Amino acid sequence: MIDNWIDLENECMKCTKCELCKTRTNVVFGVGNKNAEVFFIGEGPGENEDLQGEPFVGRGGKLLDKMLFSVDLSREKNIYIANIVKCRPPKNRDPKPEEQLACTDWLRNQFAIIKPKIVVCLGRIAAAKIIKPDIKITKEHGIFFEKGGVQMMAMLHPAAVLRDPRKKPEAFRDFQILREKIKEICNYTYSDDE
């Protein structure tokens, strides 16, 4: 376990634990406030993320930023965002189990340093890996699960919401549920509470 952020990121940038290292442009380590109480986790970088080296920067990332903004959250201010796998799977396919396993220690280490109170899994793959393997994302998004003293919730992946805009109200409701949980257990004060 690496106990400091700079060393952890530097080691991750050199990772060759799985085949994804051969096709990546950039390692997408993560971005945000390293002292955040809320940690968002996606499945893996897409093409834009691979090119820019930052998670959730494409169309889905723009939608995510809007949803975050609607509940006074932002990657610059009070959350951290990373992915299960740090390198883009070819053609944006789902990361294979062995690729997820190879990257697990990087994510575990990020989690250990950040020590979040809330984890939000974006999409089925992240939720199945982090919350429970048999999660039904369409039925169980927006529901909190307690695991190891941490509150965890699955949300619809922003890309899924873009593919089916009828899901926007559900996605927005999940962010409102998240906001209430943050008010309940985190040290973050919302401007309308002051």
Side-chain angles (χ1 to χ4, degrees):
M1 197 64 103
I2 300 170
D3 63 0
N4 94 52
W5 201 265
I6 294 166
D7 290 348
L8 179 63
E9 189 167 358
N10 287 339
E11 285 304 306
C12 186
M13 293 298 170
K14 299 183 278 189
C15 183
T16 57
K17 292 180 184 180
C18 78
E19 295 294 306
L20 294 180
C21 71
K22 295 176 181 173
T23 55
R24 72 181 178 220
T25 304
N26 285 295
V27 172
V28 183
F29 184 69
V31 68
N33 181 337
K34 295 168 189 78
N35 298 306
E37 293 179 300
V38 183
F39 189 4
F40 278 75
I41 302 171
E43 64 186 56
E47 183 179 16
N48 290 313
E49 291 77 11
D50 180 48
L51 292 172
Q52 296 181 45
E54 187 174 315
F56 291 92
V57 293
R59 287 179 57 229
K62 286 180 180 32
L63 177 60
L64 177 61
D65 286 342
K66 283 181 187 174
M67 297 291 224
L68 289 167
F69 181 77
S70 74
V71 293
D72 201 22
L73 297 174
S74 79
R75 56 179 89 203
E76 294 81 22
K77 187 169 60 171
N78 50 15
I79 66 161
Y80 194 83
I81 304 176
N83 285 303
I84 290 174
V85 297
K86 308 303 185 194
C87 300
R88 177 188 180 209
K91 297 185 170 106
N92 293 349
R93 65 161 167 74
D94 292 347
K96 295 176 182 174
E98 61 271 20
E99 293 161 351
Q100 293 180 43
L101 186 63
C103 252
T104 297
D105 286 341
W106 300 122
L107 187 63
R108 266 199 195 113
N109 216 150
Q110 286 175 308
F111 181 89
I113 293 173
I114 294 171
K115 297 181 184 72
K117 291 181 179 176
I118 297 173
V119 170
V120 178
C121 296
L122 296 165
R124 175 187 53 81
I125 291 174
K129 181 73 175 171
I130 307 293
I131 299 172
K132 61 179 191 163
D134 62 345
I135 195 157
K136 304 285 184 256
I137 191 81
T138 53
K139 291 187 173 105
E140 295 180 287
H141 67 87
I143 298 170
F144 275 97
F145 298 84
E146 193 269 328
K147 201 171 166 190
V150 177
Q151 293 294 316
M152 299 189 176
M153 177 173 74
M155 284 189 177
L156 299 170
H157 196 285
V161 177
L162 286 172
R163 283 191 300 274
D164 185 357
R166 294 171 299 178
K167 293 180 177 171
K168 268 189 184 171
E170 291 176 70
F172 183 67
R173 193 167 45 253
D174 289 351
F175 276 90
Q176 292 172 317
I177 293 166
L178 172 62
R179 184 180 198 265
E180 291 310 307
K181 185 61 78 173
I182 290 169
K183 286 168 83 169
E184 179 188 326
I185 69 169
C186 294
N187 295 317
Y188 180 64
T189 304
Y190 282 95
S191 53
D192 61 2
D193 294 340
E194 298 174 291

